[in-house]
């Protein structure tokens, strides 16, 4: 028995170390029996010792660990053929001398002539290296590419690793999402010049391999697939094409070729590349998924990080935030549609605030609030003496907004004459003041809003079609409040905090029944109407909690939403309240003050309760 370590990879590759004195220390220090000049190896990394009839390897608390057959160990009995990995070096642990002469004699016997013992020993170690080479290559590919997250970097490193183990001159990886080579994303590499040289790929071979899912090795010959025009032009003498398969899904193909005679690929190369493709397919799919997750994460972060004053977390508002995040960085004209009171101006301000124009002016003009003459002067400005009362020159909103954003609310109310003037501004980015002759250049971004159907207005001749096309570059619709009822409690609490601070009144919460009433109402005035209702409740309420009785009559009269068990509860509570008030008024013999004392509420509050609950007629009886 002569135990030894045969190095199969790393800086000592090819060397054989005999374990003398029944022990050997492995480490970076020069005093070690097996010295490995590798920074990833500890000074005293591990030790192999004979214990009874076995040899045992013990890790000496090294920094990077000792691995036996890729498994980290603290202490383990070594068996013949075990693979020991320390740092970047790998060794085979060998014990049986008989195997050497037996294997070598079969391989090296040539016409009865027996080779010398020294030659047999060299051939045996060389054979062991060849046996371990593929495993070592697979391990290196696996550990290298699985540590890379960027897809392009991964593909480039994969081809470089393949060039180390296969005599290929060119390599390409074709990745498809729909099973078609035509739509595949391609990454190529030339061994000599890197990415500067074009790589020719046989479409016929790639399609066949992708379709059949079977690896192909083709070498030059009369019946070979290499007779295609593209490969004749590329002077390819050998091609390997292997499918990239993951869970029976075909991600693409891995393509290698060489144009050097004598360096043709063989069966061993095909088997090795096929094995590597199995490892690579998983890494490629993970990298693609990681890049998708990263882009999705950036998109979501962009949505979250946009600055705005809007309140809402439901799906409808999330779509609005996503739209704002997409269009804000651009200079495109935006058209915002939506019912009155949905927050179109807030959306416009959010687009401006998150754009590159954020530090420049944001000018808002309501086109429905002024008559034609005043609106023209407001937009374009006027010269001194342009009309009666023009005692001085005035800069218009267009001029003041130079470099920033102009927001035109209710754009559908513009008169035909002003529509023509605005169209010129959008086309030429220039205008003249009212009564002036000097052309003024402006750099503005226009955001328009409307609660009218502009396409219908075009049909009736109220709105210019060419102006509509100029405005409708990108557009979206602000959702009505009834379409995002899940945001009503959030909005109500926001407005309650806002107006309680203004009124110097403490409001802590909404009664559940009050929230149910708010949720059941359709809100034709949308968020603006909700704010008014909450402000009224804050002003008129008498307790820290906003009650249904504090809300406007229109909200209380709303039909309960069907199939909502919570609203059935509210109805029961309302009926109970009515009965309690009727009983109190009966006990007080119709005296409001006495009834209020019995109920423990203020008389004014009792009057409002009776009115809101429609009890006047019942109490008269």
């Amino acid at each position: 028995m002569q135990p030894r370590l045969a190095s199969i990879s790393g800086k000592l590759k090819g060397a054989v170390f005999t374990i003398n004195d029944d022990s050997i220390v492995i480490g970076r220090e020069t005093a070690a029996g097996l010295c490995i000049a590798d920074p990833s190896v500890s000074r005293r990394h591990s030790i192999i010792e004979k214990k009874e009839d076995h040899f045992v390897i013990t890790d000496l608390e090294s920094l990077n660990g000792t691995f036996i057959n890729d498994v980290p160990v603290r202490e383990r009995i070594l068996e013949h053929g075990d693979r020991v990995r320390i740092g970047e070096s790998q060794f085979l642990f060998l014990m049986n001398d008989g195997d050497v002469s037996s294997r070598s004699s079969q391989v090296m016997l040539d016409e009865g002539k027996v080779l010398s013992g020294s030659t047999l020993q060299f051939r045996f170690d060389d054979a062991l290296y060849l046996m371990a080479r593929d495993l070592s290559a697979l391990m290196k590919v696996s550990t290298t590419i699985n540590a890379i997250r960027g897809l392009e970097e991964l593909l480039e490193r994969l081809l470089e690793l393949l060039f180390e183990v296969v005599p290929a001159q060119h390599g390409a990886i074709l990745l498809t999402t729909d099973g078609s080579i035509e739509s595949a994303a391609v990454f190529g590499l030339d061994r000599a010049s890197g990415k500067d040289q074009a790589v020719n790929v046989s479409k016929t071979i790639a399609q066949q391999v992708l379709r059949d899912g079977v690896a192909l090795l083709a070498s030059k010959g009369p019946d070979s697939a290499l007779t295609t025009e593209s490969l004749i032009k590329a002077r390819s003498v050998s091609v390997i094409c292997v499918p990239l398969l993951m869970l029976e899904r075909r991600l693409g193909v891995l393509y290698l070729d060489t144009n050097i005679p004598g360096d043709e690929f063989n069966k061993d190369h095909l088997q090795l590349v096929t094995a590597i493709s199995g490892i690579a397919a998983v890494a490629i799919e993970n990298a693609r998924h990681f890049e998708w997750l990263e882009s999705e994460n950036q998109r979501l972060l962009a949505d979250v990080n946009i600055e705005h004053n809007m309140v809402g977390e439901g799906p409808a508002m999330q779509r609005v935030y996503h739209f704002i995040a997409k269009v804000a960085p651009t200079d495109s004209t935006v058209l915002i549609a939506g019912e009155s009171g949905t927050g179109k101006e807030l959306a416009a301000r959010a687009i401006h605030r998150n754009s590159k124009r954020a530090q420049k002016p944001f000018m808002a003009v309501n086109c429905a609030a002024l008559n034609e003459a005043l609106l023209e002067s407001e937009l374009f400005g006027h010269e001194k003496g342009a009309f009666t009362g023009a005692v001085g020159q005035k800069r218009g909103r267009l001029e003041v907004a130079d470099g920033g954003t102009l927001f035109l609310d209710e754009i559908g109310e513009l008169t035909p004459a002003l529509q023509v003037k605005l169209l010129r501004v959008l086309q030429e980015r220039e205008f003249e003041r009212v009564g002036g002759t000097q052309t003024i250049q402006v750099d503005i971004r226009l955001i328009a809003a409307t609660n009218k159907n502009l396409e219908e207005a075009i049909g009736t001749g109220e709105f210019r079609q060419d102006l509509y096309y100029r405005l409708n570059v990108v557009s979206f619709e602000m959702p009505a409040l009834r379409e995002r009822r899940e945001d009503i409690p959030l909005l109500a609490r926001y407005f309650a905090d806002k107006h309680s601070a203004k009124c110097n009144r403490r409001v802590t919460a909404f009664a559940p029944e009050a929230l149910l009433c708010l949720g059941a109402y359709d809100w034709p005035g949308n968020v603006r109407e909700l704010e008014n209702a909450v402000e009224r409740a804050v002003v008129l309420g008498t307790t820290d909690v906003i009650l249904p009785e504090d809300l406007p009559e229109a909200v209380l009269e709303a039909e309960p939403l069907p199939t909502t068990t919570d609203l059935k509860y509210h109805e029961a509570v309302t009926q109970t309240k009515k009965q309690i008030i009727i009983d109190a008024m009966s006990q007080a013999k119709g005296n409001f003050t006495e009834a209020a004392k019995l109920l423990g509420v203020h008389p004014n509050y009792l009057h409002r309760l009776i009115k809101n609950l429609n009890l006047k007629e019942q109490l008269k009886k």
Side-chain angles (χ1 to χ4, degrees):
M1 180 185 293
Q2 189 181 15
R4 58 207 181 281
L5 293 171
S7 177
I8 58 174
S9 70
K11 295 187 177 182
L12 302 174
K13 184 173 72 175
V16 179
F17 299 89
T18 303
I19 302 176
N20 296 318
D21 302 325
D22 295 336
S23 70
I24 185 170
V25 174
I26 306 170
R28 198 174 72 247
E29 65 179 12
T30 54
L34 199 168
C35 178
I36 306 174
D38 181 351
S40 64
V41 176
S42 299
R43 295 180 61 81
R44 287 174 58 85
H45 199 103
S46 56
I47 184 171
I48 297 177
E49 303 174 282
K50 184 177 182 182
K51 294 184 178 180
E52 297 180 356
D53 295 331
H54 304 287
F55 280 86
V56 177
I57 186 167
T58 305
D59 185 78
L60 301 177
E61 298 184 358
S62 64
L63 183 63
N64 294 316
T66 300
F67 295 79
I68 305 300
N69 301 324
D70 295 326
V71 178
V73 298
R74 286 291 181 188
E75 183 175 285
R76 175 168 166 174
I77 296 174
L78 290 171
E79 302 289 345
H80 176 71
D82 277 347
R83 183 164 38 84
V84 181
R85 175 157 61 90
I86 295 174
E88 295 183 357
S89 299
Q90 292 193 75
F91 305 87
L92 286 177
F93 178 72
L94 308 172
M95 288 186 62
N96 302 332
D97 287 335
D99 286 357
V100 178
S101 55
S102 172
R103 290 194 183 188
S104 298
S105 61
Q106 283 185 341
V107 175
M108 302 308 302
L109 189 61
D110 183 12
E111 294 184 1
K113 181 179 179 181
V114 179
L115 300 179
S116 66
S118 59
T119 304
L120 286 172
Q121 181 65 52
F122 172 77
R123 294 297 182 188
F124 173 72
D125 291 333
D126 190 39
L128 286 173
Y129 166 69
L130 293 174
M131 290 164 57
R133 181 200 61 186
D134 288 358
L135 183 58
S136 175
L138 291 173
M139 288 176 55
K140 184 174 182 180
V141 169
S142 179
T143 54
T144 302
I145 66 177
N146 280 303
I148 300 173
R149 289 291 175 263
L151 181 61
E152 186 169 343
E153 181 187 354
L154 187 152
L155 299 180
E156 181 178 7
R157 189 70 183 108
L158 175 59
L159 289 175
E160 290 173 348
L161 291 168
L162 284 166
F163 288 162
E164 292 180 13
V165 295
V166 177
Q169 299 305 308
H170 316 98
I173 298 172
L174 290 74
L175 301 178
T176 179
T177 55
D178 60 1
S180 170
I181 286 296
E182 284 81 1
S183 62
V186 181
F187 184 91
L189 202 63
D190 182 272
R191 179 190 285 268
S193 58
K195 289 176 278 190
D196 297 330
Q197 183 72 28
V199 176
N200 292 308
V201 174
S202 168
K203 181 179 176 182
T204 304
I205 292 176
Q207 280 181 329
Q208 178 184 333
V209 170
L210 184 63
R211 181 186 67 246
D212 300 339
V214 178
L216 181 145
L217 166 60
S219 297
K220 201 165 187 180
D223 300 324
S224 170
L226 301 185
T227 55
T228 59
E229 183 179 345
S230 61
L231 293 177
I232 291 173
K233 185 178 179 181
R235 295 178 296 176
S236 298
V237 298
S238 194
V239 166
I240 283 178
C241 190
V242 177
L244 292 164
L245 305 175
M246 181 179 175
L247 300 176
E248 300 182 356
R249 282 198 304 116
R250 295 168 190 180
L251 307 182
V253 297
L254 196 160
Y255 186 97
L256 301 170
D257 81 342
T258 180
N259 53 14
I260 300 179
D263 275 352
E264 290 90 349
F265 303 135
N266 55 39
K267 184 179 178 181
D268 291 340
H269 294 139
L270 180 64
Q271 290 174 340
L272 178 58
V273 175
T274 302
I276 289 175
S277 74
I279 298 171
V282 178
I284 288 169
E285 184 68 0
N286 288 341
R288 289 165 79 175
H289 188 60
F290 183 83
E291 286 194 348
W292 179 85
L293 287 174
E294 198 170 49
S295 65
E296 185 70 4
N297 187 48
Q298 290 173 353
R299 182 189 70 77
L300 291 172
L301 284 174
D303 291 358
V304 170
N305 291 333
I306 63 168
E307 294 183 42
H308 62 85
N309 292 326
M310 292 175 284
V311 178
E313 297 175 353
M317 289 306 295
Q318 291 300 331
R319 288 191 290 272
V320 170
Y321 301 149
H322 177 52
F323 178 87
I324 291 172
K326 294 276 283 185
V327 303
T330 72
D331 268 339
S332 300
T333 301
V334 181
L335 178 62
I336 306 173
E339 296 178 8
S340 180
T342 52
K344 297 187 289 295
E345 183 171 344
L346 288 177
R349 289 184 182 274
I351 292 172
H352 172 73
R353 190 180 300 178
N354 293 277
S355 73
K356 58 188 177 184
R357 300 174 179 267
Q359 303 305 316
K360 298 294 184 178
F362 176 89
M363 303 303 297
V365 179
N366 190 323
C367 301
L370 303 171
N371 62 38
E372 182 178 355
L374 288 175
L375 183 57
E376 183 179 17
S377 173
E378 190 69 22
L379 283 174
F380 301 100
H382 60 256
E383 297 290 349
K384 181 179 179 181
F387 50 83
T388 303
V391 294
Q393 185 191 76
K394 176 187 175 181
R395 298 171 68 210
R397 297 294 181 96
L398 280 166
E399 197 172 346
V400 174
D402 187 32
T405 303
L406 177 66
F407 173 61
L408 297 180
D409 199 5
E410 305 299 348
I411 191 77
E413 303 301 325
L414 278 182
T415 62
L418 287 180
Q419 289 180 35
V420 173
K421 287 196 168 187
L422 181 61
L423 180 61
R424 183 191 173 204
V425 174
L426 289 174
Q427 289 175 332
E428 309 296 338
R429 289 299 195 269
E430 62 182 30
F431 66 95
E432 292 87 31
R433 297 191 190 102
V434 177
T437 56
Q438 180 185 358
T439 299
I440 300 171
Q441 302 282 338
V442 288
D443 171 26
I444 61 165
R445 179 182 193 171
L446 183 69
I447 302 176
T450 180
N451 61 3
K452 293 179 65 173
N453 188 322
L454 294 184
E455 292 182 352
E456 290 182 1
I458 292 171
T460 59
E462 297 176 28
F463 203 81
R464 293 181 63 95
Q465 189 174 42
D466 48 2
L467 176 58
Y468 174 71
Y469 291 142
R470 284 285 180 181
L471 294 171
N472 193 31
V473 178
V474 288
S475 62
F476 71 101
E477 185 171 353
M478 289 296 292
L481 189 54
R482 61 183 172 276
E483 296 170 359
R484 56 182 188 109
R485 295 181 190 273
E486 65 278 4
D487 289 331
I488 289 176
L490 195 65
L491 284 161
R493 292 187 181 98
Y494 171 78
F495 292 135
D497 291 341
K498 173 182 174 182
H499 292 291
S500 61
K502 285 184 178 179
C503 299
N504 196 25
R505 180 170 175 266
R506 184 170 178 266
V507 174
T508 58
F510 281 78
E513 309 89 69
L515 288 176
L516 291 170
C517 289
L518 295 176
Y521 186 53
D522 270 348
W523 301 107
N526 293 292
V527 180
R528 186 181 294 121
E529 184 183 4
L530 174 63
E531 181 174 6
N532 292 340
V534 172
E535 183 179 4
R536 175 187 185 278
V538 170
V539 172
L540 297 179
T542 57
T543 67
D544 291 349
V545 177
I546 291 179
L547 303 170
E549 294 77 16
D550 302 327
L551 300 173
E553 286 76 5
V555 176
L556 293 175
E557 292 169 2
E559 288 293 326
L561 292 175
T563 68
T564 306
T565 56
D566 288 338
L567 288 176
K568 292 178 181 177
Y569 162 77
H570 169 57
E571 291 171 10
V573 170
T574 302
Q575 292 300 324
T576 303
K577 285 182 178 180
K578 287 181 178 181
Q579 192 59 49
I580 291 172
I581 293 171
I582 291 171
D583 293 344
M585 288 295 291
S586 176
Q587 189 176 345
K589 298 179 180 180
N591 188 306
F592 277 91
T593 304
E594 290 299 322
K597 286 181 180 179
L598 290 172
L599 293 172
V601 298
H602 193 278
N604 290 342
Y605 181 56
L606 179 58
H607 276 285
R608 196 160 69 250
L609 273 174
I610 291 171
K611 179 183 176 183
N612 290 339
L613 294 172
N614 296 317
L615 288 175
K616 286 185 178 181
E617 294 300 322
Q618 287 182 260
L619 293 175
K620 287 179 181 178
K621 296 176 182 179

